[in-house]
Amino acid sequence: MDQFTLNLIVVGMTFALYIGIAIWARAGSTAEFYAAGRGVHPVMNGMATGADWMSAASFISMAGIIALSPAGGYQQSAFLMGWTGGYVLLALLLAPYLRKFGKFTVPEFIGDRFYSGTARLVAVICLIVISVTYVIGQMRGVGVTFSRFLEVSTDTGLYIGAAIVFAYAVLGGMKGITYTQVAQYVVLIIAYTIPAIFISLQLTGNFLPQLGLIGGYAPQGGEVAMLEKLDQVVTELGFTAYTADTSNMFNMVLFTMSLMIGTAGLPHVIIRFFTVPKVSDARSSAGWALVFIALLYTVAPAVGSMARLNLTTTFWPNAVTGNALDGDAIAIADIDSKPELAWINTWKATKLLDFSDLNGDGKIQYFNEPKAVTAANKALADASKALADSTEADKSALEAKVAEAKAAVDAALAEAKLGGKSLAELGLVGNEVTKIDNDIMVLANPEIAKLPGWVIALVAAGGLAAALSTAAGLLLAISSAISHDLIKGSLNPQISEKGELLAARISMGVAIAVATWLGLNPPGFAAQVVALAFGLAAATIFPALMMGIFSTRINKEGAIWGMLAGLAFTSVYIFLYLGWFFIPGTNVYENTAANYFFGISPLSIGTVGALVNFLVAYVVTGMTKAPPQEVVDLVESIRIPKGAGAAQAH
């Protein structure tokens, strides 16, 4: 059976399962649509939370950004530390208290705690901004996966994925989504770990990828550690050592913190804890979620490092047992003729991988091209284009510029070194692998490692499960905010339950359409876009929830202005580097480390935004009237376990 047919069968079976579950668990009331009737078992809720949490960013993109980071893999471990640590914060500081409050949505809690419809409306705005930003990454993940495994364009993949989400999310609400996410978790964890086990056995002889990461490199008899071999290969080709320390620890700490507190402030994750019967179940389900998440997150570092080593040794076959540059690079003739290398052209067709034989030797040399060489080659290309486009009779001046640019290229190639030799000596004119998208690494991993076709199909199903499960949770959060908090909470408080349910479904349909449109032109790869959403959550929702639960002094004015300040500060900083509202070409500064204020990247600014939120909230509160006594009593009651009496002296 050919790979395409196998992909269709496996992916089709999983889709049929999801839609079947949605029909079986169809929501018949707002309680079922928003909170699954508050009847989900903690273990099952933990599994659903794991699927809701492990999005396209976790499944598709995280290992890719760790594998291909120009600064090395260690710096990107912040994704692992921040996202996992955030769940500890959520389990300890937020989940049980929010469940005890007993509301359907995060804006509803904020509105009641801060006794203000305006505060609730601001929370709705923050929630929609966060969720829409987050869902862009999921829709991109859907498009990337479909484009490869169903051999359609990325845009077509987006449309198919949107239709599937519409079918089960709009129909089932939280009840249908919860049980669908349980199935999706099973699919994605199997799809992620099975290829990792195969590849770990190939490269290190270890069954567990976690041990393979620190194990010996099998092709050289295990005498060299796998990570040591990876460092040797990538540094020979001019890349930063994979295990190198970060050059900006301040930014890394801020980024990790942004992901942690952003995790604890994500609305679509928080509402999962409204679905369990009791307060104790909320804490229990958070613990189970950590267990289920750890099954993937402890494997991700091994997947990233092994994928990078396999990719590099594919382009430099001699690197498997020796030095890369002592042998020839991969030949184009082999790429075109050998079945085990067919994945290269297949991914090239998706435009997520690209290469070009710049020196015309019939081979594809992959290395870290020095900036001086890149600049010289660009100047030559520009000068050559100007000459070709010129209509003047006398072109001597342009020809002189071309000659000058050629001389500059020759000088740069003679100066740049690789493996102890100049690029000129090696016959290289530039890096010939011109694009490797971070988002293809996990999906291409089984093909690179020459694993069986059924494993490749399983990874396709897993990638789609990860993206679709989180997309559904986000869309439900958006839908709930619009129908329950905006329409019922502000615009039409007298709306019937049937009318509210209809409004929720229409809101979700519109949200799916908007998310699909935004997914066609995302501002980055999946993990980047998701990190931006975490920064926004860290700067807006998290401080409001923390102050709402643990401070009786913060009033409505403080909460409102704090959220607005955090949202404005963080959004503007992000837009300065990524374009206003992510519109390409509207950015003020180029998104490079040299342009960051105090070295803080747009992905890390959420921590500073949270501090701005806290500061503004406390300053404004100090200048305005204290909260009513009933609100103070409400806050105190949230933090006291049910049935506890006053403390006794002994």
Side-chain angles (χ1 to χ4, degrees):
M1 185 182 299
D2 66 277
Q3 187 63 55
F4 178 72
T5 304
L6 195 56
N7 293 341
L8 280 180
I9 291 172
V10 174
V11 172
M13 288 172 61
T14 59
F15 281 3
L17 175 64
Y18 306 153
I19 294 173
I21 291 173
I23 293 171
W24 166 73
R26 189 174 189 272
S29 66
T30 53
E32 290 182 335
F33 192 90
Y34 295 137
R38 303 196 194 280
V40 182
H41 190 277
V43 176
M44 190 167 288
N45 192 55
M47 193 176 293
T49 305
D52 204 353
W53 171 245
M54 289 185 293
S55 62
S58 292
F59 189 99
I60 297 173
S61 192
M62 182 172 63
I65 194 174
I66 293 172
L68 296 174
S69 170
Y74 168 71
Q75 183 166 300
Q76 303 307 324
S77 64
F79 282 96
L80 294 168
M81 295 184 288
W83 284 342
T84 309
Y87 249 93
V88 177
L89 286 181
L90 184 59
L92 295 177
L93 299 180
L94 296 179
Y97 304 111
L98 292 172
R99 175 62 188 87
K100 184 176 181 182
F101 194 71
K103 298 298 182 180
F104 283 140
T105 67
V106 171
E108 190 173 14
F109 167 81
I110 290 175
D112 285 6
R113 161 58 184 89
F114 295 109
Y115 52 98
S116 168
T118 303
R120 186 173 182 176
L121 181 61
V122 171
V124 169
I125 294 169
C126 294
L127 184 149
I128 291 173
V129 171
I130 293 163
S131 299
V132 168
T133 304
Y134 201 150
V135 84
I136 296 171
Q138 310 318 306
M139 301 312 286
R140 172 174 167 79
V142 170
V144 168
T145 308
F146 270 122
S147 68
R148 165 60 189 93
F149 293 106
L150 297 185
E151 298 179 15
V152 296
S153 69
T154 304
D155 291 357
T156 302
L158 271 176
Y159 299 137
I160 297 173
I164 297 296
V165 172
F166 184 89
Y168 73 79
V170 173
L171 183 67
M174 176 61 86
K175 185 178 179 183
I177 286 171
T178 295
Y179 294 108
T180 301
Q181 285 175 336
V182 171
Q184 287 169 330
Y185 176 80
V186 174
V187 171
L188 74 87
I189 199 66
I190 292 173
Y192 201 85
T193 53
I194 285 181
I197 290 169
F198 272 111
I199 295 168
S200 181
L201 286 169
Q202 283 181 353
L203 292 182
T204 70
N206 284 289
F207 178 80
L208 290 176
Q210 295 92 329
L211 295 178
L213 179 66
I214 57 175
Y217 184 56
Q220 290 187 324
E223 297 175 1
V224 178
M226 196 275 293
L227 286 175
E228 184 182 344
K229 175 64 178 179
L230 178 54
D231 277 347
Q232 176 252 308
V233 171
V234 297
T235 53
E236 182 188 0
L237 298 175
F239 297 99
T240 302
Y242 191 77
T243 58
D245 199 354
T246 178
S247 59
N248 188 346
M249 186 59 73
F250 176 62
N251 183 70
M252 185 173 177
V253 170
L254 288 182
F255 181 47
T256 305
M257 182 61 70
S258 180
L259 294 178
M260 285 181 66
I261 62 178
T263 296
L266 283 178
H268 77 286
V269 173
I270 293 172
I271 61 174
R272 286 240 55 91
F273 299 105
F274 299 159
T275 65
V276 292
K278 303 190 299 291
V279 173
S280 60
D281 292 338
R283 197 184 298 275
S284 176
S285 64
W288 279 108
L290 267 174
V291 172
F292 292 125
I293 290 167
L295 292 178
L296 187 147
Y297 271 41
T298 56
V299 173
V303 171
S305 58
M306 293 174 187
R308 177 68 178 275
L309 185 54
N310 269 338
L311 178 76
T312 309
T313 55
T314 296
F315 283 99
W316 294 96
N318 201 69
V320 174
T321 55
N323 295 321
L325 297 172
D326 288 347
D328 290 331
I330 190 172
I332 295 176
D334 288 341
I335 293 174
D336 293 338
S337 63
K338 292 185 176 180
E340 66 269 22
L341 297 175
W343 65 269
I344 297 177
N345 279 328
T346 305
W347 277 107
K348 186 179 181 183
T350 68
K351 297 182 173 58
L352 298 174
L353 172 69
D354 205 2
F355 57 86
S356 178
D357 186 11
L358 301 176
N359 60 0
D361 66 352
K363 299 178 177 63
I364 300 299
Q365 286 92 6
Y366 168 54
F367 64 96
N368 187 27
E369 184 178 302
K371 291 182 180 179
V373 173
T374 302
N377 279 327
K378 185 180 184 304
L380 176 57
D382 291 344
S384 299
K385 186 177 186 302
L387 176 61
D389 293 344
S390 175
T391 57
E392 297 178 13
D394 184 7
K395 299 184 180 181
S396 56
L398 293 174
E399 289 169 348
K401 285 187 177 180
V402 170
E404 183 182 337
K406 285 181 178 177
V409 168
D410 291 339
L413 294 174
E415 180 70 22
K417 303 288 184 183
L418 200 66
K421 294 182 179 180
S422 70
L423 297 187
E425 291 177 275
L426 293 167
L428 305 179
V429 296
N431 172 37
E432 296 181 335
V433 180
T434 53
K435 182 177 183 180
I436 306 175
D437 195 292
N438 291 285
D439 290 345
I440 77 169
M441 290 305 295
V442 169
L443 300 176
N445 219 7
E447 298 173 285
I448 298 172
K450 307 176 184 65
L451 298 185
W454 65 269
V455 179
I456 296 169
L458 189 61
V459 169
L464 291 169
L468 294 174
S469 61
T470 303
L474 288 163
L475 292 164
L476 180 67
I478 296 170
S479 168
S480 301
I482 294 173
S483 61
H484 189 67
D485 295 303
L486 186 59
I487 296 176
K488 185 177 177 63
S490 300
L491 302 179
N492 185 11
Q494 305 305 316
I495 190 173
S496 67
E497 182 170 340
K498 184 177 179 180
E500 186 182 351
L501 193 58
L502 177 61
R505 288 184 164 132
I506 293 173
S507 300
M508 186 174 288
V510 173
I512 290 170
V514 172
T516 304
W517 179 73
L518 290 171
L520 296 174
N521 294 289
F525 51 84
Q528 267 191 328
V529 180
V530 166
L532 296 176
F534 278 79
L536 292 168
T540 56
I541 299 294
F542 175 77
L545 293 178
M546 286 294 293
M547 291 183 290
I549 293 171
F550 295 102
S551 173
T552 58
R553 179 65 184 89
I554 298 297
N555 60 15
K556 63 181 180 181
E557 291 86 0
I560 291 168
W561 285 105
M563 284 189 289
L564 289 174
L567 177 64
F569 173 84
T570 307
S571 299
V572 168
Y573 193 87
I574 289 170
F575 292 154
L576 286 174
Y577 294 96
L578 296 178
W580 295 96
F581 302 100
F582 302 130
I583 299 172
T586 61
N587 55 303
V588 178
Y589 304 108
E590 187 180 354
N591 189 18
T592 60
N595 294 327
Y596 297 155
F597 289 96
F598 304 104
I600 304 172
S601 81
L603 301 181
S604 309
I605 198 63
T607 302
V608 183
L611 294 176
V612 169
N613 187 329
F614 279 117
L615 179 63
V616 169
Y618 276 99
V619 169
V620 172
T621 293
M623 299 167 61
T624 48
K625 187 179 178 181
Q629 185 59 44
E630 61 266 23
V631 172
V632 174
D633 294 340
L634 173 67
V635 175
E636 295 288 359
S637 70
I638 292 173
R639 298 203 305 265
I640 298 173
K642 187 176 181 180
Q648 301 293 317
H650 294 286

